[in-house]
């Protein structure tokens, strides 16, 4: 009889313990930065069914599992708004590079380059069960390439309509907006109104416009102005990607470009920027080859590169461009202007 009573008491005790532990996890003693702009504060964070359900003072006994975060910061997963994970995330769905940095959500499809069919792309990622959440922009260059290939001209009305319907489909499939890479072909071939009309489609679906602007060196001011103009005319928030002035001779010009952004914001436009947390940048070799030389596909490009006159013209333009943006490098013996950039057997 006594044994049965004890068993009953133990059962009751267990059910009390279960009842007293409403949380799966409590992270204790950390400095919490909640992402709202508040200063950090000491607090415990309780998680239930994968969601944060309480922030405050929470006894360890309230959770089945406790993590002691003494001396550590506790923050929501970071969102990296400027990623290029197409291809690489499929190769490494665990994305340890992001996870170990605290990034749990990325926005890809930046700089004009995305999957042209976002529904298929998202389906693929869903099947792979990636460790991070992924949002995507629809890339203008990808859309233009699909409709016009590498044509160095304005779109016909039909082509413009086709590009707009690709953007519309992408927005319906879950794109967070449209991106441009106006420094890369075929984005360089597009004039501003083409982008405005595509951005208008994204705007109708609540999207934003992320811009790798047309120039980050000598003409950076005009390029920032163009991004702002697109925002104004398409009634769309604009995010200027990796905001910078890309050449040492132009250092200091950011006071002018920042003022352009601030003045647009005073006007009521939703203009924001993001920036690398480091002082270097990289891009593809293509960005220093004159755009006209890359038009109309690979075979047309090879014809130009093989023709001695055209080749000299390309080389001269490349060196001129480099001289403008990399004056310090060009003056070093490592990179004399007489050194042939292009191999003779292209
Ligand atoms: Zn970019």
């Amino acid at each position: 009889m006594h044994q049965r009573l004890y068993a009953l008491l133990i059962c009751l005790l267990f059910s009390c313990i279960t009842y007293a532990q409403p949380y799966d996890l409590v992270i204790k003693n950390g400095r919490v930065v909640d992402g709202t702009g508040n200063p950090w504060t000491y607090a415990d964070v309780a998680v239930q069914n994968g969601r944060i359900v309480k922030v405050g003072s929470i006894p360890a006994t309230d959770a089945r599992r406790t993590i002691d975060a003494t001396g550590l910061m506790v923050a929501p997963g970071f969102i990296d708004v400027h990623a290029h994970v197409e291809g690489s995330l499929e190769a490494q769905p665990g994305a340890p590079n992001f996870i170990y940095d605290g990034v749990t959500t990325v926005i890809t499809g930046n700089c004009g380059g995305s999957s042209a069919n976002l529904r298929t792309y998202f389906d693929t990622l869903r099947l792979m069960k990636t460790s991070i959440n992924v949002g995507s922009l629809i890339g203008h260059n990808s859309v233009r390439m699909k409709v016009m290939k590498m044509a160095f001209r304005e779109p016909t009305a039909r082509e413009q309509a086709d590009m707009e319907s690709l953007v519309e489909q992408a927005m319906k499939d879950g794109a967070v907006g449209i991106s441009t890479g106006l420094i890369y072909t075929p984005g360089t071939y597009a004039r501003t109104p083409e982008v405005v009309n595509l951005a208008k489609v994204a705007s109708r679906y609540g999207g934003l416009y992320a811009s790798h602007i047309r120039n980050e060196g000598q003409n950076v001011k005009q390029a920032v102005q163009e991004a702002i103009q697109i925002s104004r005319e398409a009634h769309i928030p604009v995010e200027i990607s990796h905001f910078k002035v890309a050449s040492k001779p132009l250092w200091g010009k950011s006071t002018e470009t920042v003022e352009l952004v601030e003045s647009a914001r005073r006007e009521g436009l939703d203009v924001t920027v993001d920036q690398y947390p480091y002082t270097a940048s990289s891009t593809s070799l293509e960005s220093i080859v004159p755009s006209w030389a890359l038009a109309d596909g690979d075979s047309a490009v090879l014809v130009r590169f093989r023709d001695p006159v055209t080749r000299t013209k390309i080389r001269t333009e490349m060196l001129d461009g480099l001289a403008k943006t990399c004056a310090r490098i060009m003056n070093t013996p490592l990179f004399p202007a007489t050194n042939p950039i292009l191999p003779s057997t292209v």
Side-chain angles (χ1 to χ4, degrees), residues 170-221:
M171 294 305 297
K172 286 178 178 167
D173 290 341
V176 293
I178 182 170
S179 78
T180 52
L182 297 173
I183 207 166
Y184 301 118
T185 54
T188 48
Y189 305 147
R191 298 177 66 180
T192 311
E194 172 183 327
V195 182
V196 168
N197 287 325
L198 295 173
K200 278 181 181 169
V201 178
S203 173
R204 278 208 301 276
Y205 290 85
L208 63 80
Y209 168 45
S211 182
H212 182 143
I213 56 177
R214 207 177 280 274
N215 189 288
E216 295 174 325
Q218 285 282 352
N219 298 319
V220 65
K221 276 182 72 179

Side-chain angles (χ1 to χ4, degrees), residues 27-51:
I27 304 167
K28 284 195 66 68
N29 308 318
R31 285 189 283 181
V32 173
V33 181
D34 65 8
T36 61
N38 291 329
W40 66 264
T41 171
Y42 280 113
D44 307 322
V45 177
V47 177
Q48 179 69 30
N49 294 326
R51 289 182 177 275

Side-chain angles (χ1 to χ4, degrees), residues 82 84 111 184 212 242:
H82 194 90
H84 296 274
C111 304
Y184 301 118
H212 182 143
H242 40 60

Side-chain angles (χ1 to χ4, degrees), residues 209-331:
Y209 168 45
S211 182
H212 182 143
I213 56 177
R214 207 177 280 274
N215 189 288
E216 295 174 325
Q218 285 282 352
N219 298 319
V220 65
K221 276 182 72 179
Q222 292 94 311
V224 170
Q225 279 162 336
E226 181 186 31
I228 292 170
Q229 181 191 344
I230 291 165
S231 166
R232 186 185 293 113
E233 292 182 15
H235 304 290
I236 191 167
V238 62
E239 167 87 3
I240 300 177
S241 301
H242 40 60
F243 195 75
K244 62 172 152 328
V245 177
S247 101
K248 193 166 181 180
L250 299 173
W251 282 5
K253 251 203 178 332
S254 58
T255 51
E256 297 170 39
T257 52
V258 169
E259 174 49 32
L260 287 173
V261 171
E262 287 183 342
S263 123
R265 290 177 65 83
R266 284 194 294 273
E267 181 192 327
L269 296 178
D270 190 349
V271 184
T272 48
V273 307
D274 57 74
Q275 218 172 25
Y276 308 127
Y278 39 82
T279 55
S281 67
S282 67
T283 187
S284 58
L285 187 62
E286 181 217 303
S287 65
I288 60 166
V289 179
S291 286
W292 59 263
L294 296 170
D296 306 322
D298 290 349
S299 36
V301 172
L302 283 177
V303 167
R304 288 187 201 106
F305 275 52
R306 283 186 178 124
D307 173 60
V309 177
T310 316
R311 181 192 168 93
T312 304
K313 188 167 151 54
I314 293 169
R315 184 176 174 280
T316 306
E317 285 193 28
M318 285 173 74
L319 288 170
D320 283 352
L322 282 169
K324 281 188 190 122
T325 52
C326 311
R328 194 174 61 88
I329 301 171
M330 293 293 291
N331 289 333

